[in-house]
Amino acid sequence: MTPTSGAPAPAERNPYEAMLRRFDAAAKILGLDPNLYELLKIPDRELTVAIPVILDDGSLRVFPGYRVQHSISRGPCKGGIRFAPDVTIEEVRALAAWMTWKCAVVGIPFGGAKGGVRCDPRKMSRREVEQVVRRYTASIMDILGPERDVPAPDMGTDEQVMAWVMDTYSMHVRHTVTAVVTGKPIALGGSKGRRESTGRGVTLMAREALKVLGMEREGCRVAIQGAGNVGSIAASLFHEQGYRVVAISDVSGGIHDPEGLDIPSLLAHLQQRRTLEGYGGGDRIDNAALLTCECDLLVPAATENQITSANAERVRARVVLEGANGPTTAEADAILDKKGTFVVPDILCNAGGVTVSYFEWVQDRMGYFWEESLVNERLERILVNSFHDVRGSAEKHNASMRLGAYILAIARVAETTRLRGLYA
Ligand code: NAD
């Protein structure tokens, strides 16, 4: 992904290195056994596949695809599938590890995985996307399954993609296996509330952060980078809850109004045009300027490496709510900490999605589906408890919320790993 501000060094922008920096710092504070350290930092399994597809113009193109399973210590692997033109194995490896820590932070019985295909779904027809999805699924099928590894949507993939993954897997095993993926359409065994869950979780984390900081919700100004599943739902819920959403962007740039945007009309435009470009209200703002605009809450909900050593000093928000995975580099962490910015880290802040994915997997396996109110109530309980667990861990170790979350997660994964022992 191209940086939207400044030019931090390539090492700072390597997401796996960024994950390891936090892992190392947390392991040190925790006094993690050196043998467990060796075991937990390396992914269990990595699969690279070639995905040949006949394009609509009759030519053949081979797309690289990846699935990385970081850990099965706490249960089957769980993690999204990303379709983006610049996906790399390093990025997928980092995202897989983050899934392990995230599931542990919220205490759900999964390990971590992630998948990616280097392709640009915005420049492909639906038929071409479907071919990629089905061939990718068939190619990684041996390591998938409700008891093995359960994918979900991520950047560039959606409910329809999950339906194709489920169908392809089911065709191969000769019966319908809804629990092999989550984030499916409700008609195919999806959970009510799953689509909204990550954005809803971000707003719950905002509420808890404001309480801790003694800040008022009324008039609180929110800037959101990214207007996809996470960003657009968060914007809609923040607006409904009385916050003032002053800026939002997508890959084409953003819209800004210090008095507050008309979010329902902006989201209607986005739904119709699939881009914020051409929206009539507010002023245009680029993605770099959005990150440093005047606001109280900043929600990076697009991609990695957005808050870096090049712009962290200029971030004005009191609270950063990481809707995206890895939006802040390790170098930027130190700058934000020094400024006293309250950061709700990705592995807690965006864990609403995987929590409701867990509920979806449970419902599919039970064959019994819950009302949305029950889903939301259980989601809230898990996230709010996790927020306070993380805060407790941070306070105990005199560390940031991010390190508090890593310490909690690593301790939980270390415990199951120790209990299982080493099969050699
Ligand atoms: P999405 O594909 O629905 O939306 C991504 C949004 O970001 C789009 O508006 C896109 O235009 C914008 N964007 C992409 N690159 C950008 C850039 N360089 N600068 C500015 N905007 C850019 O994806 P999503 O599902 O909303 O995921 C967004 C982030 O949240 C990712 O980091 C993802 O891993 C993370 N996440 C998603 C979920 C989920 O349930 N969907 C759960 C947890 C974490």
Side-chain angles (χ1 to χ4, degrees), residues 1-2 4 82 102 114 153-156 194 198 225-231 249-251 287 301-303 306 323-325 350 353:
M1 207 52 66
T2 45
T4 51
R82 174 171 294 192
K102 192 181 302 183
K114 203 79 178 192
D154 191 72
M155 276 176 73
R194 171 61 184 89
T198 311
Q225 186 197 45
N229 172 277
V230 182
S249 65
D250 64 11
V251 74
N287 268 292
T303 185
Q306 298 303 298
N325 287 307
N350 66 41

Side-chain angles (χ1 to χ4, degrees), residues 111-165:
K114 203 79 178 192
V117 177
R118 198 180 310 148
C119 66
D120 190 347
R122 286 172 309 164
K123 294 191 179 143
M124 296 160 73
S125 69
R126 271 322 245 179
R127 188 203 67 85
E128 289 169 340
V129 171
E130 179 175 354
Q131 297 303 304
V132 171
V133 174
R134 289 189 182 278
R135 181 64 188 251
Y136 171 71
T137 307
S139 300
I140 64 167
M141 151 107 214
D142 289 343
I143 62 168
L144 291 187
E147 309 290 348
R148 292 182 178 161
D149 184 352
V150 185
D154 191 72
M155 276 176 73
T157 59
D158 56 17
E159 292 181 355
Q160 179 59 66
V161 168
M162 295 306 112
W164 289 328
V165 173

Side-chain angles (χ1 to χ4, degrees), residues 37 50 159 248 417:
Y37 173 86
E159 292 181 355
I248 185 163
T417 308

Side-chain angles (χ1 to χ4, degrees), residues 19 24 37 59 87 111 118 201 217 243 262 283 298 313 392 406 419:
M19 187 286 297
D24 283 353
Y37 173 86
S59 66
V87 167
R118 198 180 310 148
R217 171 188 305 190
Y243 295 83
D262 179 353
D283 303 319
L298 175 64
E313 196 59 63
Y406 271 77
L419 286 169

